[in-house]
Amino acid sequence: MLPYEHIIIINKESKIPVYRQIAISIINAIRNGTLKAGTHLPSSRELAKTLGVHRKTVIAGYEELDAQDWIMIVPRKHVAVSEHIPLLKPQKWSEHNILTPYENDLDIPFRIIEENTLGKNLISYPDIIIDDGHPDVRLSPIDDLLKTYRSLTSKKYAIKNANIGTTQGTLKLREELVNYLSVTRGLNISVDNILITHGAQMSIYLSAQLLLRHSSNIIVGKPNYPVANKTFEETEAKIIEVNVDEKGIDTDAIERICKRKKIDAVYVIPHHHYPTTVTLSVERRIKLLELSKQFLFAIIEDDYDYDYHYTSSPYLPLASSNHNGNVIYIGSFSKILDPALRMGFMVAPKNFIEQCTAFRKIIDVGGDGYMQSALATLIKEDELKRHLKKSKKCYHERRDFLDVLLKEKLGKYVSYTLPTGGMAIWVKLNPKFSIARLVANTQFKIIRWDLEQNAFRFGFASMNEAELIQAVDALKSSLEAGSKHSQ
Amino acid sequence: MLPYEHIIIINKESKIPVYRQIAISIINAIRNGTLKAGTHLPSSRELAKTLGVHRKTVIAGYEELDAQDWIMIVPRKHVAVSEHIPLLKPQKWSEHNILTPYENDLDIPFRIIEENTLGKNLISYPDIIIDDGHPDVRLSPIDDLLKTYRSLTSKKYAIKNANIGTTQGTLKLREELVNYLSVTRGLNISVDNILITHGAQMSIYLSAQLLLRHSSNIIVGKPNYPVANKTFEETEAKIIEVNVDEKGIDTDAIERICKRKKIDAVYVIPHHHYPTTVTLSVERRIKLLELSKQFLFAIIEDDYDYDYHYTSSPYLPLASSNHNGNVIYIGSFSKILDPALRMGFMVAPKNFIEQCTAFRKIIDVGGDGYMQSALATLIKEDELKRHLKKSKKCYHERRDFLDVLLKEKLGKYVSYTLPTGGMAIWVKLNPKFSIARLVANTQFKIIRWDLEQNAFRFGFASMNEAELIQAVDALKSSLEAGSKHSQ
C-alpha cells in the first residue's frame, strides 16, 4: 500500500474540515501523478485506521471525491481513482511543492514595470511622515458621506439597479457635477462630457492610453509628477521635457518644439505644479491654448489642486475658455474627501468621453454606484461646499503656520516660495546641505524629494500645529547634525 | 466702445455669483482675442450701467481679474487688459463657441475602442430585466459592511493612514484572505500572493497587460466571456478560440495547438463557463495543468462563480494543486456583496503580484482602504460565511423554481442543461424560434444572448419567485406571438 499517511496531510488545527483535507490531499496526489487512473484506494476502514480519524470522516471525504468524479465508489467492492484521469508523467515526490505551489516564481515571461518597493517598509514607517500634500482626513466629511451611503443602500427597492451606469458614473452624480463644475470652475458642459473615475490617476491613464502610442510625442514639465511620466512611458510615446520655472511650464519652448515636430499632447498641472507648486501664469495659459489650436495638440490639464487656493480665487481652468474642445480636464475628490476613497472625474468632448468609458469598462467595469450617489447628495445639499470652506480655512492657517516655523527654525537651511494654494511647500535646501542625507534619516519619512533641485515637498495640510512643530524640529536636528558633521 | 453687453453675459438664474460671471466673460474675451493687451476697459460706473448691475458687483469682478493678473487697475485713472497678454490671432466672434466649447468633438486623433452603447438606453429600461447572472443585492450584507466601514472611519486616529498599502490591498484584508482562501478553496498562499482589485475584470486586464503583447498567442473558449476577449484584443495578442462542449474547454484541441505554436496563456472559466455554464471536467483539469507544465503557458483561471455551487462542493481550483505556480487565479466579491462595490482579488506568484501592483498603481493608485478593512472584519467574524450560506440556499431554490417554470411554461420552446451552480441558466431556443426576435421584444431586456447558439443567459439569482414568474410569462407571450407569426 502507498504511504497514505504521507499522501494525506491532516492538520487538526486547520479550519478546513478534516474530510475536506482528506479529499484535497487525494486530489493533489491524483493531480501530481502519485495516484493513477484505476488505482484502488484503501477501504474507508483501513484509511481511517492509518490516519487516526473516524471512519465516517473518510466516507465523507470519499463521497465528496465521488461527487466530483475524482474517484469511483463500487459499493461493497472497492474505491478506485477514476478511469478518466489522463496518464501523467511521474513526478518526483515533493511534499513541499504540493503544499505551497505559490512559493515558486511565475516562470512564464511577463512584462516588468519597475523595481517594486511598494508596501515594503510601510509597516515600519516612523511616526513622522512628511507627505507630499495629503489632505487631513480627520477633517473629511466621510462620516456624512457614509451616512448617506447607508441610507441609500437601506432602500431595498433602490439598490437593485445601483450598478447601472457606473462605468461612466451614475447619472445623478454627473448631473450634480454639471452644476458644481460650472459654479466652481466656469466649465460649460453637459452630462455627456463627464466620466467618473477612480481618482485623477485613472483619468491620466485613460487619456494616455487613448491619445498616445509608440509614435507619439508628449510634452511634460521638468520636473514633473513622476507617476504621470510613468503612465506616459507605458504607451511607448516619446516624452519631451520642458522646463518649469516660476511662471510654470515654458510655453516659448513648447512653441519651438511644435515647429520642429508633431506634438500630440501637452500635460500640464496649471495650479501648484507638482512638485514645485508654481501656478501657470496668465500669459502662458493663453499662449498654451493658442499653440494647441495652431499645432492641434491635446492639453491634458491635471487640476488636482484647484479647490485649495488661499489668497484669491484660483485661475479658471484652461478648460473653461475657448479651446475648441481640445482640453481634457482632470479633477479629483480625493483631496477633499480622502485619498483612500478614490473618486475623480474627467471632462472632455463627448466623443472622447465615450471612448474612455468603453476603455474603462475593460479595466474595471466601473465605480461604486452607491458612493457616487452619496457624493451627489453631498454636493446637492452644499455639504461639500461647507466642508471645503472649513478645510480651506484650516489649511490656509497651517500653510501660514508652517511658513513661520520654517523661517524661525530652518531659516538658515532652506529657502522656498510660499505657494498661493495647494497642500505643500516646495522646500529647497541651501547648497551646503544635502537632500540625500536628509531623506536617509530614519526618524522621519519624506515622501517626495528631488536630488537635482536639492528640494522636497513639505505637505502641511495633513498636520495640525503640534505635528508641524514636531516635523520641523525633527528636520532641524537632522540638518544641525549634518552641518556639524560637515564642519 | 466695444459692445460689452454682448461680451459679458449675465445669467441671474445661475448659481455663479454675478461678479464672477463678469470676470469669466472678460477672461473669455481676452482669451479669444476680443480684448487685447492694453485695451482700456470701461469704468466700473459705465459698465454697471451698461449691464444693469450694481457698481460694487463690477468692482468685485475687476478685483478678481486684477488678483489673477488678467487686468491692471490704475486707481483714479483706468482699468486695462494686462500688457502681458500675448498677441492673439483675431477670431471670428462666436458667442456659441465661447459658452459651450465642449459641444465640439475632440479633433485630435485618438484610439477608438468600440461603438459605445453604454448608458444610452439605460434610463428607458423596461421593468423586466433578464440579467446574465447577477446576485440579488437585496440579500447583500452591505448594511453590515457599511456599519463596520463607518465605525472604522469614526476612529479618527485610525483613518490617518487608511490609504497606506491600498495599491496591493490593505494588509488586514490580505491576511484574512490567506485564511479564507485556504478554507474555501484549498489555496496555500501568503499575503505576498494576493492583490486586491476592483473586481475580477481588473485582474483579467492586469494579467493580459503583463503577459501578452502583439506577438503573443492566447487560447480562449468558444463561446467566451466577450469582455475578456476584448481585454485580450487590447494587447494585440492573437486570440485562438477552442470549442467549449459539455465538459468545458477542449483540452485535446489545446494540446494540438501547443504542438504547432508557442502559446503564452490559456484563459479558462472552470466553474460555470460564461456564457454556457458548463463546469470543466476532472480529466480536462488535470490535462490542462499538464499541458501548462509541458508547454510552459500561464493559466488565467477566472473563477468568478466559485462560491455558488448547489449539489456538491465546487471543484477545487486549478490554483489549489501542484501547478508550478503558473496559474493566475482570479476571484471576486462582487457576486457575494454587490456588483456596484467592485471588490476582487488575484492570486499569483509573488514576482507576478509585485509587477501587477506596480502596474495597478499607474492605473488608479489603489482601492478603498476602508472598504477593504470593513470586508476583512466581515470575513474574520464569519459574517461573510453566514451570508453566503443563506444566499446559496436562496439561489438554489430560485434555480430549482426557474427549472420548474421553464419546463411547465416554456417546455416546447426551449432546452437547457441545469447548471450545478452559478447564477444563470443557458437557455437554448428550439431551432424554429429566433433569439434575434426574442431580444428585439421591448417588454423585457435580455442582457446576454448568442445568435450562433440561438441561446441566452437567464440569470435567476437576482429575482424572487414573483419576478421569475413575471419574466417567464413575458418570454412566453413573446415566443407565442413569434410562433403564431411564423405559422
Side-chain angles (χ1 to χ4, degrees):
Chain A
M1 197 170 87
L2 284 163
Y4 282 98
E5 64 276 24
H6 295 306
I7 292 175
I8 299 168
I9 291 128
I10 291 173
N11 173 4
K12 297 206 170 165
E13 312 272 287
S14 165
K15 284 196 182 173
I16 310 178
V18 172
Y19 84 93
R20 277 209 93 191
Q21 293 188 42
I22 295 174
I24 290 170
S25 295
I26 292 177
I27 290 171
N28 281 336
I30 295 172
R31 279 172 163 172
N32 70 23
T34 308
L35 294 173
K36 294 190 176 42
T39 303
H40 283 213
L41 295 174
S43 72
S44 52
R45 197 180 305 269
E46 276 175 304
L47 188 55
K49 208 176 146 197
T50 309
L51 301 176
V53 301
H54 198 283
R55 195 187 153 201
K56 277 189 181 160
T57 308
V58 175
I59 291 175
Y62 278 178
E63 279 171 353
E64 178 82 23
L65 289 165
D66 185 44
Q68 293 189 19
D69 287 333
W70 290 100
I71 63 172
M72 304 162 294
I73 300 180
V74 185
R76 281 161 216 284
K77 289 224 164 143
H78 64 258
V79 177
V81 176
S82 162
E83 296 288 352
H84 300 301
I85 307 300
L87 260 183
L88 300 174
K89 246 187 275 172
Q91 289 184 335
K92 207 179 147 213
W93 174 262
S94 157
E95 192 179 304
H96 180 74
N97 243 345
I98 291 168
L99 287 178
T100 56
Y102 279 113
E103 283 194 353
N104 298 328
D105 275 355
L106 185 69
D107 54 4
I108 296 178
F110 59 89
R111 204 147 55 96
I112 300 301
I113 307 296
E114 62 173 348
E115 191 54 45
N116 184 290
T117 53
L118 282 167
K120 281 210 177 120
N121 300 310
L122 286 173
I123 301 158
S124 59
Y125 260 13
D127 278 348
I128 305 176
I129 298 175
I130 298 177
D131 64 45
D132 60 343
H134 276 211
D136 189 340
V137 291
R138 292 168 297 193
L139 304 176
S140 164
I142 188 165
D143 208 51
D144 290 322
L145 190 71
L146 287 173
K147 215 185 291 176
T148 318
Y149 195 139
R150 273 191 81 186
S151 84
L152 287 171
T153 55
S154 65
K155 289 177 195 134
K156 294 291 180 193
Y157 79 93
I159 72 173
K160 193 155 186 221
N161 298 317
N163 58 323
I164 285 181
T166 50
T167 302
Q168 186 172 356
T170 60
L171 191 61
K172 197 177 161 197
L173 179 55
R174 286 184 287 131
E175 279 169 351
E176 284 305 322
L177 280 185
V178 165
N179 183 38
Y180 178 80
L181 295 177
S182 162
V183 174
T184 59
R185 287 157 170 83
L187 301 192
N188 207 314
I189 52 174
S190 79
V191 290
D192 295 331
N193 297 120
I194 304 178
L195 171 68
I196 308 297
T197 60
H198 276 123
Q201 181 57 35
M202 185 176 241
S203 299
I204 302 175
Y205 182 76
L206 291 169
S207 311
Q209 286 290 318
L210 259 64
L211 285 170
L212 306 175
R213 51 205 184 102
H214 64 92
S215 57
S216 308
N217 294 304
I218 178 165
I219 290 177
V220 302
K222 180 183 185 209
N224 191 31
Y225 179 48
V227 185
N229 281 3
K230 207 170 269 297
T231 311
F232 302 136
E233 276 165 25
E234 253 302 299
T235 67
E236 296 175 31
K238 184 156 186 240
I239 299 177
I240 301 168
E241 293 184 309
V242 164
N243 265 339
V244 173
D245 59 27
E246 72 287 355
K247 287 181 169 181
I249 196 162
D250 181 347
T251 41
D252 290 336
I254 294 176
E255 183 171 25
R256 286 192 296 274
I257 295 166
C258 285
K259 283 177 176 162
R260 285 205 324 269
K261 62 172 80 182
K262 174 76 193 121
I263 296 299
D264 301 275
V266 174
Y267 171 77
V268 279
I269 312 170
H271 274 115
H272 326 136
H273 180 77
Y274 190 102
T276 64
T277 78
V278 297
T279 296
L280 191 62
S281 71
V282 161
E283 59 265 38
R284 291 197 181 170
R285 279 166 191 262
I286 294 176
K287 178 90 183 198
L288 188 60
L289 285 166
E290 277 307 294
L291 292 174
S292 149
K293 280 177 207 163
Q294 190 183 342
F295 296 103
L296 259 192
F297 58 75
I299 297 175
I300 303 174
E301 179 177 24
D302 184 352
D303 208 9
Y304 75 101
D305 230 0
Y306 180 89
D307 293 297
Y308 295 101
H309 214 82
Y310 307 124
T311 39
S312 66
S313 294
Y315 286 65
L316 283 174
L318 298 165
S320 71
S321 64
N322 185 7
H323 49 68
N324 285 354
N326 291 339
V327 178
I328 293 154
Y329 183 77
I330 292 174
S332 170
F333 290 105
S334 300
K335 295 274 172 188
I336 306 181
L337 298 171
D338 188 325
L341 287 186
R342 313 302 319 138
M343 297 260 271
F345 56 88
M346 178 201 285
V347 169
K350 185 177 176 212
N351 64 337
F352 191 71
I353 290 291
E354 278 175 354
Q355 294 308 314
C356 283
T357 305
F359 187 52
R360 191 259 171 89
K361 193 172 183 184
I362 66 168
I363 293 178
D364 72 348
V365 183
D368 179 342
Y370 302 118
M371 193 63 94
Q372 292 178 9
S373 295
L375 177 60
T377 305
L378 246 63
I379 293 174
K380 191 173 188 164
E381 294 170 356
D382 280 341
E383 196 55 55
L384 199 72
K385 212 169 121 192
R386 275 191 291 275
H387 164 71
L388 248 177
K389 198 175 164 189
K390 208 177 68 182
S391 56
K392 210 158 94 175
K393 184 165 170 284
C394 173
Y395 296 160
H396 190 170
E397 286 164 4
R398 288 177 181 180
R399 182 199 67 160
D400 293 347
F401 187 77
L402 178 59
D403 184 27
V404 171
L405 274 185
L406 289 176
K407 287 207 167 59
E408 276 179 11
K409 301 200 176 188
L410 301 184
K412 58 178 179 175
Y413 305 109
V414 305
S415 64
Y416 56 88
T417 307
L418 196 66
T420 51
M423 300 186 162
I425 296 179
W426 184 238
V427 179
K428 292 186 182 191
L429 295 193
N430 295 343
K432 60 176 177 171
F433 300 95
S434 139
I435 187 72
R437 183 193 294 264
L438 194 67
V439 298
N441 190 302
T442 54
Q443 304 302 301
F444 49 83
K445 166 92 184 154
I446 293 176
I447 300 285
R448 179 68 58 197
W449 69 91
D450 187 299
L451 287 180
E452 208 173 306
Q453 300 217 2
N454 203 36
F456 68 97
R457 266 175 85 95
F458 197 138
F460 53 79
S462 62
M463 297 191 209
N464 59 32
E465 298 195 349
E467 288 160 344
L468 286 168
I469 293 173
Q470 195 189 20
V472 170
D473 284 345
L475 288 171
K476 193 183 174 193
S477 27
S478 175
L479 288 163
E480 269 172 358
S483 131
K484 272 179 211 130
H485 194 82
S486 63
Q487 274 162 7
Chain B
M1 196 170 88
L2 285 163
Y4 282 99
E5 63 276 26
H6 295 306
I7 291 175
I8 298 169
I9 290 128
I10 289 174
N11 173 5
K12 297 208 167 161
E13 312 272 287
S14 167
K15 284 196 183 175
I16 310 179
V18 172
Y19 84 91
R20 277 210 95 191
Q21 294 187 42
I22 294 174
I24 291 170
S25 295
I26 291 178
I27 290 172
N28 280 336
I30 294 173
R31 278 174 164 171
N32 70 26
T34 308
L35 294 172
K36 295 193 175 34
T39 304
H40 282 213
L41 296 174
S43 72
S44 55
R45 199 180 306 269
E46 277 177 302
L47 189 55
K49 208 175 145 198
T50 310
L51 301 176
V53 301
H54 197 282
R55 195 185 152 203
K56 279 191 179 160
T57 309
V58 176
I59 291 176
Y62 277 178
E63 279 170 353
E64 178 84 24
L65 290 165
D66 184 44
Q68 293 188 19
D69 289 333
W70 290 99
I71 63 173
M72 302 162 295
I73 301 181
V74 184
R76 286 163 212 285
K77 291 226 165 141
H78 63 260
V79 176
V81 175
S82 163
E83 295 289 354
H84 300 302
I85 307 298
L87 260 183
L88 299 174
K89 246 186 273 172
Q91 291 184 336
K92 212 181 141 211
W93 174 263
S94 157
E95 190 179 305
H96 180 75
N97 244 346
I98 290 168
L99 287 179
T100 56
Y102 279 114
E103 282 192 354
N104 299 329
D105 275 355
L106 185 69
D107 55 3
I108 300 191
F110 59 89
R111 205 147 54 97
I112 300 300
I113 307 294
E114 62 174 346
E115 190 53 45
N116 185 289
T117 51
L118 282 168
K120 281 211 178 118
N121 300 309
L122 286 173
I123 301 158
S124 59
Y125 260 15
D127 277 348
I128 305 175
I129 299 175
I130 298 177
D131 63 46
D132 59 345
H134 275 210
D136 190 339
V137 291
R138 292 169 295 194
L139 304 176
S140 165
I142 189 165
D143 209 51
D144 290 321
L145 190 70
L146 287 171
K147 214 184 293 175
T148 318
Y149 195 139
R150 275 192 80 186
S151 84
L152 287 173
T153 55
S154 64
K155 290 177 196 134
K156 294 291 178 191
Y157 79 93
I159 74 174
K160 191 153 189 223
N161 298 317
N163 58 324
I164 284 183
T166 49
T167 302
Q168 186 172 356
T170 61
L171 191 61
K172 195 177 162 199
L173 179 55
R174 286 184 288 131
E175 279 169 351
E176 284 306 320
L177 279 185
V178 164
N179 183 37
Y180 178 79
L181 295 177
S182 161
V183 175
T184 60
R185 286 155 170 85
L187 299 193
N188 207 312
I189 52 175
S190 78
V191 291
D192 295 331
N193 297 120
I194 304 178
L195 171 68
I196 308 297
T197 60
H198 276 125
Q201 182 57 36
M202 184 175 244
S203 299
I204 302 175
Y205 181 76
L206 291 170
S207 311
Q209 286 290 318
L210 260 63
L211 285 170
L212 307 176
R213 51 205 184 104
H214 64 93
S215 57
S216 307
N217 294 304
I218 178 165
I219 290 178
V220 303
K222 180 181 187 221
N224 191 31
Y225 179 47
V227 186
N229 281 2
K230 207 170 270 297
T231 311
F232 302 137
E233 276 165 24
E234 255 299 298
T235 67
E236 295 176 32
K238 184 156 187 241
I239 299 178
I240 302 167
E241 293 185 306
V242 164
N243 265 337
V244 172
D245 59 27
E246 72 288 350
K247 286 181 170 181
I249 197 164
D250 182 346
T251 41
D252 289 337
I254 294 177
E255 184 172 23
R256 286 192 297 273
I257 295 166
C258 285
K259 284 177 176 163
R260 284 204 326 267
K261 61 172 80 182
K262 173 77 192 124
I263 295 300
D264 300 276
V266 174
Y267 171 78
V268 279
I269 313 170
H271 275 115
H272 326 135
H273 180 77
Y274 191 104
T276 64
T277 78
V278 297
T279 296
L280 190 62
S281 72
V282 162
E283 59 265 37
R284 291 196 182 170
R285 280 166 190 260
I286 294 177
K287 179 92 183 197
L288 188 60
L289 285 167
E290 276 308 292
L291 293 174
S292 149
K293 280 176 208 165
Q294 190 183 343
F295 296 103
L296 259 191
F297 58 75
I299 297 174
I300 303 174
E301 179 176 24
D302 183 352
D303 208 9
Y304 75 101
D305 228 1
Y306 181 89
D307 293 297
Y308 294 101
H309 214 83
Y310 306 124
T311 38
S312 65
S313 295
Y315 287 65
L316 285 174
L318 298 165
S320 71
S321 64
N322 184 7
H323 49 68
N324 286 355
N326 292 337
V327 178
I328 293 155
Y329 183 76
I330 292 173
S332 169
F333 291 104
S334 301
K335 294 274 172 189
I336 306 182
L337 299 171
D338 188 326
L341 286 187
R342 314 302 319 139
M343 297 260 272
F345 57 88
M346 177 200 286
V347 169
K350 187 180 173 207
N351 63 336
F352 191 71
I353 289 292
E354 278 176 354
Q355 293 309 313
C356 284
T357 305
F359 187 52
R360 192 259 171 87
K361 194 173 183 183
I362 67 169
I363 294 179
D364 72 348
V365 183
D368 179 340
Y370 302 118
M371 194 62 96
Q372 292 177 9
S373 295
L375 178 59
T377 306
L378 246 64
I379 294 174
K380 190 171 188 167
E381 293 170 355
D382 279 343
E383 197 54 54
L384 199 72
K385 211 170 122 191
R386 275 191 291 276
H387 164 72
L388 247 177
K389 197 175 164 188
K390 208 178 66 183
S391 57
K392 209 158 96 174
K393 183 164 171 286
C394 173
Y395 296 161
H396 189 171
E397 286 165 5
R398 287 178 182 178
R399 183 199 66 163
D400 293 347
F401 187 78
L402 178 59
D403 184 30
V404 172
L405 273 185
L406 289 176
K407 287 206 168 63
E408 275 179 13
K409 300 200 175 186
L410 300 184
K412 59 179 180 174
Y413 304 109
V414 305
S415 65
Y416 56 88
T417 307
L418 196 66
T420 50
M423 300 185 161
I425 296 178
W426 183 239
V427 179
K428 293 186 181 189
L429 294 193
N430 295 343
K432 60 176 176 171
F433 300 95
S434 141
I435 188 70
R437 182 192 293 267
L438 194 67
V439 297
N441 191 301
T442 55
Q443 304 302 300
F444 49 83
K445 166 91 184 152
I446 293 177
I447 299 285
R448 179 69 57 197
W449 68 90
D450 187 299
L451 287 179
E452 207 173 307
Q453 300 216 3
N454 204 36
F456 69 97
R457 266 175 85 95
F458 197 136
F460 53 78
S462 62
M463 297 191 209
N464 59 32
E465 298 196 350
E467 288 160 345
L468 285 168
I469 292 172
Q470 196 191 19
V472 170
D473 284 346
L475 287 171
K476 192 183 175 193
S477 24
S478 174
L479 287 164
E480 269 172 359
S483 131
K484 271 179 212 131
H485 194 81
S486 64
Q487 270 162 11

